[in-house]
């Protein structure tokens, strides 16, 4: 087992980042022009990184599989972005944001990374305001804030229910300026299919032009992976259908350790599943829990309309169980509580797998116009999908897969275990522990892209100023391209009988049933065996229509599902290995008398970093021990 060097700077927590920046190595402006950087993914993390690095003088190549960076999945984030500015004068501070994030993640995140995130959060808001992001403002014209789960302050900046879209447009405008100047070369409709490692360093990628099918070689002095999370391993999730793990998984198979893969987040406020026909789920923003009250009937199997159930026959179970935080408990807590009520027979709707999110009190207190001003586009979206008016009748919600806290393991500089290969945003594991607090995904993506990687990548590239252009005519590029083509040819020529989605749905059911909101030893062992059989069936019987040299979405999906199958097995092994409950990882064998997550800090206060050792070879577990020197570890309580 190799030693994981997290490269956390010495010194007091509040000075680590500033001291690190003061002593980190630099690349001078004349040398930056001769250094190429590849950025894969153009959401908030990738877009911010590409724009910032190009502005600094580096030569940047940016890749996205969408037709425009504006269509990155960051656009779907609704509720807001956290920052410790204390505009509401309610006691917020950098330390408070740091503490809430560590606690919310159930003490399974690095203190140094989380404090840095809290520290730079205020800069993000200033940056985005300067870009013209239309954050909501109060009556006096100052930026407005609202609350999200797991906190007792108002620190979430927002733009109605489309915060991600507005922030992405800010990053995209910064990118577009650099594209116009020639500092960024943009490759739309390209998918990265492998990382090329030369002499132990990441030196480029193999990409497929999704329109023509052409396989391309691209070299660089460093490669950044910013391709989001892997929630679609469950098939049904709140992620865009194109969201996938392929770039991160290819990096993993080329030597990048995968951190905490079993840490996936279930979001409590999603529109419930309605049948087998669905291909994705829709999120209702957590911001709705500011004014919406969650309840179920006090009687089991109560089929009355919610508006016909009187107040004294309603169980506002979050307010009852967690009076200090009420409806704003963290996502993992709210999700398990909803599942518990439904499993006990108190669920609502046809499926009985739903609870109510009710705005009648807020409408009485604030007026319909005020509620519409805050949440109007979310209410409109709900009405279009369900054909029910949430102003008149409570929304029905149920937990669903949303975000992945796990991802590629990175050190303090955001570099993976492969030198020159970096990972940003949701693609890395670094900041959220076992559960992400709401409105922190946008914060981490922009922090990594705008304020961390522009400093830390220079420390690595300082050794490359005399390397010159990286050639693509090397045995390593030859071999990587050969393997990519062989895999694509296999899919096209395999005369199976079942479409890709058949296997994806089967994988998703295994994962949701046995590695979803609750896991246990028996189920996880069954899941591993079932996934191994599914993998054999997939490679034997998958059928991909069309040809190689054309726009072929089934071919794209085949490669992505093949990677999901392998990832799913690793997720189950990681969950089986972690004999405790923490955050989004809930092992049924490890819970308190009240049904809350029961951690084992003596044996599991570490980051699980898995090393790929080859096809059909057991992965090797490496551990990064977590040290808590500034926060006292305690059983989480939101009562």
């Amino acid at each position: 087992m190799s030693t994981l060097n997290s490269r956390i700077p010495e010194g007091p927590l509040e000075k680590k980042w500033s001291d690190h920046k003061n002593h980190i190595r630099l690349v001078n402006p004349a040398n930056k022009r001769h250094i190429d950087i590849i950025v894969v993914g153009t959401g908030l993390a990738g877009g911010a990184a590409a724009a910032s690095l190009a502005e600094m003088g580096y030569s940047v190549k940016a890749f996205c599989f969408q037709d425009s960076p504006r269509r990155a999945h960051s656009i779907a984030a609704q509720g807001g972005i956290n920052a410790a500015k204390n505009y509401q004068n309610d006691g917020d501070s950098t330390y408070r944001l740091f503490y809430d994030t560590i606690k919310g993640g159930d003490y399974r995140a690095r203190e140094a990374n989380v404090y840095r995130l809290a520290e730079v959060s205020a800069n993000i808001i200033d940056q985005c305001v300067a870009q013209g992001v239309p954050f909501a403002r109060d009556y006096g014209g100052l930026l407005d804030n609202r609350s999200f789960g797991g906190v007792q302050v108002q620190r979430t900046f927002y733009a109605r229910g489309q915060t991600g879209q507005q922030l992405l447009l800010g990053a995209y405008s910064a990118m577009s300026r650099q594209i116009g100047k020639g500092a960024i070369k943009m490759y739309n409709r390209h998918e990265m299919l492998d990382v090329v490692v030369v002499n132990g360093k990441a030196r480029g990628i193999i990409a497929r032009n999704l329109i023509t099918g052409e396989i391309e070689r691209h070299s660089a002095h460093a490669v950044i992976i910013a391709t989001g999370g892997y929630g679609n391993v469950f098939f049904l999730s709140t992620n865009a259908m194109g969201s996938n793990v392929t770039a991160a998984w290819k990096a993993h198979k080329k030597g990048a350790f995968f951190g905490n893969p079993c840490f996936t987040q279930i979001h409590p406020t999603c529109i419930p599943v309605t049948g087998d026909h669905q291909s994705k789920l829709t999120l209702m923003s957590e911001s709705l829990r500011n004014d919406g009250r969650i309840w179920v009937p006090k009687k089991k199997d109560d089929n009355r309309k919610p508006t016909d159930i009187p107040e004294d026959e309603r169980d506002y179970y979050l307010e009852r169980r967690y009076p200090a935080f009420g409806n704003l408990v963290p996502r993992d807590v709210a999700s398990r509580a909803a599942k518990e009520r439904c499993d006990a027979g108190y669920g609502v709707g046809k499926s009985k797998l739903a609870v109510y999110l009710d705005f009648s009190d807020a409408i009485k207190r604030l007026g319909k116009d005020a509620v519409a001003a805050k949440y109007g586009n979310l209410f409109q979206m709900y009405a279009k999908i369900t054909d029910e008016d949430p102003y008149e009748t409570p929304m029905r919600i149920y937990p669903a897969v949303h975000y992945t806290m796990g991802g590629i393991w990175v050190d303090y500089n955001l570099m993976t275990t492969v030198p020159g290969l970096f990972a940003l945003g949701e693609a890395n594991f670094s900041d959220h522990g076992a559960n992400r607090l709401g409105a922190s995904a946008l914060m981490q993506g922009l922090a990594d892209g705008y304020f961390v990687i522009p400093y830390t990548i220079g420390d690595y590239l300082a050794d490359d100023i005399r390397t010159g252009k990286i050639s693509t005519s090397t045995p390593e590029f030859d071999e990587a391209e050969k393997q990519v083509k062989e895999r694509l040819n296999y899919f096209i020529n395999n005369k199976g009988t079942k479409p890709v989605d058949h296997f994806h749905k089967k994988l998703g059911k295994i994962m949701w049933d046995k590695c979803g909101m609750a896991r246990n030893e028996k189920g996880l062992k069954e899941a591993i065996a079932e996934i191994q059989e599914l993998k054999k069936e997939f490679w034997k019987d998958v059928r991909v229509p069309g040809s190689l040299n054309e726009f072929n979405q089934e071919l794209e999906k085949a490669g992505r599902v093949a990677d999901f199958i392998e990832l799913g097995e690793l997720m189950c092994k990681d969950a089986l290995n972690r004999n405790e409950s923490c955050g989004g990882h809930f092992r049924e064998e490890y819970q308190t008398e009240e049904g809350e997550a029961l951690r084992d800090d003596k044996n599991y206060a570490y980051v699980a970093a898995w090393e790929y050792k080859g096809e059909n070879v057991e992965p090797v577990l490496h551990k990064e021990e977590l040290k808590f020197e500034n926060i006292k570890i305690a059983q989480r309580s939101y009562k």
Side-chain angles (χ1 to χ4, degrees):
M1 183 184 296
S2 63
T3 302
L4 280 174
N5 184 0
S6 56
R7 293 187 176 85
I8 296 172
E10 296 294 328
L13 184 68
E14 64 276 8
K15 293 185 177 179
K16 285 184 188 294
W17 178 231
S18 56
D19 285 353
H20 189 56
K21 287 190 294 182
N22 288 340
H23 296 95
I24 209 164
R25 292 183 300 171
L26 302 173
V27 179
N28 82 46
N31 288 329
K32 285 174 183 168
R33 293 195 295 272
H34 306 295
I35 291 180
D36 298 316
I37 300 174
I38 285 173
V39 180
V40 185
T42 54
L44 287 185
S52 300
L53 294 169
E55 179 82 37
M56 294 169 70
Y58 293 107
S59 177
V60 177
K61 295 180 182 178
F63 293 79
C64 70
F65 66 71
Q66 299 94 344
D67 55 1
S68 165
R70 289 176 300 166
R71 293 179 66 83
H73 187 55
S74 300
I75 203 170
Q78 298 167 340
I81 176 171
N82 289 330
K85 276 184 167 289
N86 195 31
Y87 278 10
Q88 303 300 318
N89 196 29
D90 54 5
D92 200 11
S93 64
T94 297
Y95 182 85
R96 181 78 64 181
L97 175 52
F98 157 69
Y99 175 82
D100 287 343
T101 304
I102 291 281
K103 178 185 175 184
D106 221 349
Y107 305 94
R108 291 295 177 263
R110 267 190 214 138
E111 281 191 339
N113 284 63
V114 176
Y115 193 89
R116 176 175 65 187
L117 177 66
E119 191 178 346
V120 304
S121 66
N123 297 339
I124 297 170
I125 304 304
D126 296 339
Q127 166 98 355
C128 294
V129 169
Q131 289 175 335
V133 173
F135 286 121
R137 294 181 180 266
D138 64 18
Y139 182 76
L142 299 176
L143 296 182
D144 201 7
N145 295 107
R146 55 191 178 198
S147 296
F148 263 59
V151 306
Q152 292 181 306
V153 298
Q154 296 182 79
R155 67 162 65 100
T156 303
F157 296 78
Y158 63 98
R160 293 190 76 188
Q162 50 184 246
T163 313
Q165 178 179 358
Q166 298 302 328
L167 291 170
L168 186 64
L169 287 172
Y172 175 69
S173 67
M175 273 188 76
S176 296
R177 179 168 174 267
Q178 298 303 321
I179 292 170
K181 291 172 62 178
I184 296 177
K185 188 166 185 184
M186 188 69 226
Y187 293 86
N188 299 330
R189 288 292 189 186
H190 279 69
E191 182 166 29
M192 181 198 118
L193 295 180
D194 209 355
V195 176
V196 181
V197 178
V198 181
N199 296 326
K201 295 182 176 182
R203 290 304 199 191
I205 65 171
I206 305 296
R208 179 172 180 265
N209 182 321
L210 298 180
I211 302 297
T212 67
E214 183 182 357
I215 304 301
E216 302 174 2
R217 303 180 183 192
H218 297 274
S219 67
H221 297 85
V223 176
I224 294 172
I225 305 293
T227 50
Y230 49 86
N232 278 353
V233 68
F234 292 89
F235 187 71
L236 284 180
S237 83
T238 65
N239 290 266
M241 290 177 67
S243 297
N244 65 87
V245 77
T246 289
W249 195 248
K250 300 307 185 192
H252 174 56
K253 294 178 84 167
K254 281 296 178 74
F257 292 2
F258 213 97
N260 297 333
C262 79
F263 285 173
T264 54
Q265 180 167 79
I266 313 297
H267 198 295
T269 55
C270 300
I271 296 179
V273 176
T274 57
D276 292 337
H277 61 282
Q278 278 185 268
S279 54
K280 78 174 299 294
L281 298 173
T282 303
L283 172 70
M284 288 287 102
S285 169
E286 182 171 317
S287 62
L288 295 171
R289 291 200 273 151
N290 271 271
D291 290 304
R293 300 178 71 195
I294 295 171
W295 62 275
V296 292
K298 287 184 177 178
K299 287 196 308 185
K300 292 184 179 181
D301 298 315
D302 192 331
N303 293 314
R304 289 178 291 175
K305 292 180 180 178
T307 49
D308 291 340
I309 300 175
E311 189 73 14
D312 62 352
E313 294 181 33
R314 301 178 178 189
D315 177 16
Y316 294 93
Y317 59 89
L318 291 178
E319 297 171 28
R320 169 172 56 83
R321 290 176 60 178
Y322 310 103
F325 284 75
N327 295 295
L328 285 169
V329 291
R331 290 174 178 179
D332 60 317
V333 176
S335 294
R336 281 196 298 275
K339 181 180 186 296
E340 184 275 327
R341 287 292 79 191
C342 291
D343 289 350
Y346 297 95
V348 301
K350 289 181 181 178
S351 69
K352 299 300 180 185
L353 291 175
V355 299
Y356 290 125
L357 179 59
D358 193 338
F359 284 85
S360 56
D361 282 359
I363 291 171
K364 288 176 190 171
R365 185 177 76 253
L366 303 171
K368 183 177 177 180
D369 289 346
V371 172
K374 278 185 172 182
Y375 312 114
N377 62 313
L378 298 171
F379 278 42
Q380 184 182 44
M381 184 165 65
Y382 181 88
K384 284 187 175 182
I385 291 171
T386 64
D387 198 28
E388 295 176 0
D389 183 355
Y391 292 106
E392 301 297 331
T393 188
M395 293 181 179
R396 284 175 291 109
I397 56 168
Y398 193 71
V401 173
H402 179 55
Y403 186 91
T404 51
M405 285 75 65
I408 305 172
W409 184 92
V410 292
D411 63 19
Y412 190 74
N413 287 342
L414 304 184
M415 189 161 71
T416 71
T417 45
V418 177
L421 181 63
F422 296 79
L424 313 186
E426 193 180 355
N428 74 30
F429 88 99
S430 69
D431 291 355
H432 306 296
N435 172 65
R436 176 176 68 79
L437 292 182
S440 287
L442 304 183
M443 176 175 62
Q444 188 213 341
L446 291 180
D448 286 358
Y450 282 139
F451 297 107
V452 180
I453 197 66
Y455 287 97
T456 61
I457 201 169
D459 190 51
Y460 170 77
L461 292 172
D463 290 330
D464 261 344
I465 56 176
R466 293 183 181 86
T467 305
K469 208 77 174 168
I470 305 296
S471 172
T472 58
S473 301
T474 64
E476 292 85 357
F477 273 94
D478 292 344
E479 180 60 23
E481 183 178 322
K482 176 173 168 283
Q483 289 184 6
V484 165
K485 286 182 174 178
E486 284 176 354
R487 183 177 168 107
L488 294 171
N489 274 305
Y490 181 92
F491 285 135
I492 291 295
N493 295 320
N494 191 51
K495 301 306 177 188
T497 63
K498 294 184 175 66
V500 176
D501 274 356
H502 166 82
F503 299 98
H504 198 177
K505 287 181 178 179
K506 287 185 76 170
L507 174 66
K509 181 163 176 52
I510 295 168
M511 295 299 295
W512 178 250
D513 289 346
K514 296 175 179 178
C515 194
M517 251 199 289
R519 302 105 185 251
N520 58 58
E521 182 180 2
K522 177 175 178 289
L524 289 166
K525 287 180 175 177
E526 290 172 354
I528 291 167
E530 289 170 22
I531 292 170
Q532 289 171 345
E533 283 303 308
L534 182 67
K535 182 178 179 180
K536 293 176 187 174
E537 183 189 348
F538 172 83
W539 286 102
K540 178 183 176 183
D541 205 23
V542 70
R543 183 177 184 85
V544 178
S547 67
L548 283 173
N549 301 317
E550 65 176 358
F551 180 61
N552 188 338
Q553 290 185 298
E554 286 299 301
L555 179 59
E556 295 170 35
K557 281 199 293 185
R560 295 168 187 171
V561 171
D563 296 330
F564 275 139
I565 291 171
E566 294 180 358
L567 167 70
E569 184 179 348
L570 183 64
M571 290 171 66
C572 292
K573 287 178 176 176
D574 187 41
L576 183 62
N577 175 76
R578 190 171 281 276
N579 293 317
E580 66 165 352
S581 291
C582 56
H585 167 66
F586 191 75
R587 283 282 297 271
E588 292 174 337
E589 306 96 320
Y590 308 102
Q591 54 182 301
T592 66
E593 289 181 5
E594 294 83 24
E596 305 293 351
L598 183 62
R599 294 192 324 269
D600 179 353
D601 296 321
K602 181 180 178 182
N603 296 303
Y604 293 96
Y606 61 75
V607 177
W610 294 89
E611 180 184 6
Y612 179 78
K613 298 299 283 186
E615 197 76 21
N616 300 318
V617 179
E618 282 296 305
V620 173
L621 172 63
H622 302 265
K623 300 176 182 179
E624 179 199 340
E625 300 296 334
L626 293 169
K627 297 175 183 175
F628 295 93
E629 299 168 345
N630 298 273
I631 281 181
K632 182 182 177 183
I633 297 185
Q635 182 66 36
R636 276 196 308 171
S637 174
Y638 292 96
K639 295 180 179 181

